[in-house]
Amino acid sequence: MTEAILDRTDAADAVGSDTRPWRGATRVAFRFGFLYFGLFCLVYPSVVPEFLGLAREWLPDSVNSGVARALRPVIEGTGTRVFGTSVAANTASISGDQAYFWVLVFVVLVVAVLGTPVWSVLDLNRPHYRAVLPWFLLFVRLCLAGQMIAYGMAKAIPTQMPPTPLSRLLEPYGNFSPMAVLWNHIGVSPQYEILLGCAELLGGVLLFVPRTALVGAMLSLVCTTQVFVLDMTYDVPAKILSFHLMLLCLVLLVPEAGRLANVLVLNRPAGPSTTPPLLRTPRAGRIAAAAQIALGVWLLFSNAYTGWERWTEQGAGRPEPPLYGIWAVTEFSVDGTPLPPLTTDERRWQRLVFDRDGATVQRMDGLVPVLAMVDPAARTLVVVAPPRTEPLGSFNFDRPAPERLTLTGTLAGQPVSVALTSVPIDDFPLRSRGFHWVQEYPYFR
């Protein structure tokens, strides 16, 4: 055991004492990568703030995008002068592909492109950057690991792609956007989503442990490449981040490219890593490794806590609301006159859907999202159709049997009465098909 430790220490000292100059192209590439990826991680929203973990719960939302917001005059000025368009960050949107962020990336790229030759001239005689390289790689690795854990936990506790909403079961497939197809495709199988999340989580955990960081970077490259391809082919507005996470994986793998080629392609021994050690002494290295692992544990705990809280309070883990389900209208009367189910009648309803995230009225000509305020004690229902704030309809309801519902009240100022019958959700194969080991014929509908 002692000999093994001494061997590793000697090897580290040998690497650290390597004073051979880098090639000119290597030095230029390092300067550009240091500037571009360092600035991107610092200014792009949520990358560095991810390290705050649970502390973000008590901080203002602006912390996630503080640097990006601070650069607002530069970003908006560049959008106007260079691209001839007005760009502004839409804080009400979770899209990561807003014009504001594209211009932000452009500014970072321009700074790196212009800063690289200036740095090269000022630092022309420096033969290498072996002292800076391990710290830069550590920064990139931790930033990547934080994102892998955050996105992995959002799938391992399936909140990123929730189960298919009930109203979606009634929506014609052709009305789905590509992103909605992807979200519902994954959300319909929480087991698959959890497996995807565990793969991303494993990549992030391995990145936090120095000895397994190379394996973590390889696994993370597979995961981020898949995510980037899905973002590109299903029009998911996270292309900027997924592309850069994939690039960060490559940044970590490039210094080990020779060793990987030896093992994976040339059938040769990998040999020791040529990347200089982060710190000179074994004791300092162990302390640094312990600090990195502690940071990883902190982020794991923080994301697990917030993910579980989100799942139980906002996701599929919360209780079903009153009247939850799909209700088919069997009778619909206005001012005592029954209305037949004609597609030309704008007043009559086909179905009423109560879901965890709101309600939906299916009229004869389509689906209308509404807000449904149900008071089980008073047996009242108030329906509001945004963006209007005044009630669309106010009803008293009765439930003479679990599968029957009656509404009596006013709709658009007219007295109405509605009789409804619950639709068994298992009638939809998307919800009830399940898994089968034996299939004589494909079940393809």
Side-chain angles (χ1 to χ4, degrees), residues 169 188 424-436 443-445:
L169 300 175
V188 78
I425 297 177
D426 286 346
D427 285 355
F428 295 92
L430 192 64
R431 294 287 296 254
S432 62
R433 173 58 182 170
F435 174 81
H436 297 79
Y443 188 80
F444 190 88
R445 293 182 56 180

Side-chain angles (χ1 to χ4, degrees), residues 50 217 357:
E50 182 64 36
D357 290 315

Side-chain angles (χ1 to χ4, degrees), residues 76-124:
E76 294 182 352
T78 302
T80 302
R81 294 181 177 84
V82 178
F83 297 100
T85 184
S86 175
V87 298
N90 184 0
T91 56
S93 171
I94 61 173
S95 171
D97 289 343
Q98 298 179 35
Y100 186 91
F101 297 132
W102 282 107
V103 176
L104 174 65
V105 172
F106 173 78
V107 169
V108 171
L109 178 62
V110 169
V111 171
V113 169
L114 296 180
T116 298
V118 173
W119 185 359
S120 298
V121 171
L122 296 177
D123 213 15
L124 184 63

Side-chain angles (χ1 to χ4, degrees), residues 93 103 164 167 245 255 302 311 313 344 362 401 404 411:
S93 171
V103 176
T164 303
S167 60
L245 293 180
S302 297
W311 189 75
E313 296 182 3
T344 55
Q362 185 177 21
R404 293 175 56 199
L411 178 66

Side-chain angles (χ1 to χ4, degrees), residues 280-344:
R280 299 292 300 177
T281 66
R283 183 173 183 273
R286 287 193 295 269
I287 294 174
Q292 296 169 52
I293 294 172
L295 178 60
V297 171
W298 163 247
L299 292 186
L300 271 174
F301 169 77
S302 297
N303 282 279
Y305 181 88
T306 56
W308 182 258
E309 186 179 51
R310 189 178 301 116
W311 189 75
T312 54
E313 296 182 3
Q314 305 173 23
R318 57 186 157 164
E320 294 176 351
L323 307 181
Y324 175 82
I326 300 175
W327 298 87
V329 175
T330 56
E331 297 179 13
F332 194 98
S333 299
V334 176
D335 202 11
T337 302
L339 299 183
L342 302 178
T343 57
T344 55

Side-chain angles (χ1 to χ4, degrees), residues 222-432:
V222 174
C223 294
T224 56
T225 300
Q226 182 202 30
V227 172
F228 175 64
V229 170
L230 291 175
D231 290 350
M232 292 295 290
T233 54
Y234 284 87
D235 195 32
V236 180
K239 307 173 191 70
I240 294 176
L241 182 58
S242 61
F243 177 66
H244 282 82
L245 293 180
M246 186 175 62
L247 292 182
L248 293 182
C249 294
L250 294 175
V251 169
L252 297 176
L253 293 174
V254 164
E256 307 294 342
R259 300 174 65 222
L260 292 173
N262 285 338
V263 173
L264 301 177
V265 180
L266 303 177
N267 195 25
R268 298 174 181 170
S273 175
T274 58
T275 302
L278 185 67
L279 298 169
R280 299 292 300 177
T281 66
R283 183 173 183 273
R286 287 193 295 269
I287 294 174
Q292 296 169 52
I293 294 172
L295 178 60
V297 171
W298 163 247
L299 292 186
L300 271 174
F301 169 77
S302 297
N303 282 279
Y305 181 88
T306 56
W308 182 258
E309 186 179 51
R310 189 178 301 116
W311 189 75
T312 54
E313 296 182 3
Q314 305 173 23
R318 57 186 157 164
E320 294 176 351
L323 307 181
Y324 175 82
I326 300 175
W327 298 87
V329 175
T330 56
E331 297 179 13
F332 194 98
S333 299
V334 176
D335 202 11
T337 302
L339 299 183
L342 302 178
T343 57
T344 55
D345 195 330
E346 297 181 354
R347 297 173 297 173
R348 197 185 191 281
W349 294 355
Q350 287 190 69
R351 295 181 182 89
L352 181 58
V353 181
F354 295 95
D355 210 340
R356 289 186 174 90
D357 290 315
T360 302
V361 171
Q362 185 177 21
R363 294 176 173 171
M364 302 305 296
D365 58 350
L367 297 168
V368 179
V370 297
L371 298 176
M373 290 164 278
V374 181
D375 187 340
R379 291 185 174 271
T380 59
L381 167 66
V382 177
V383 177
V384 178
R388 296 182 177 180
T389 57
E390 66 274 9
L392 173 66
S394 299
F395 308 93
N396 294 314
F397 70 84
D398 187 27
R399 197 168 180 178
E403 70 280 358
R404 293 175 56 199
L405 180 68
T406 59
L407 305 178
T408 305
T410 59
L411 178 66
Q414 295 182 299
V416 299
S417 62
V418 187
L420 308 98
T421 303
S422 66
V423 177
I425 297 177
D426 286 346
D427 285 355
F428 295 92
L430 192 64
R431 294 287 296 254
S432 62

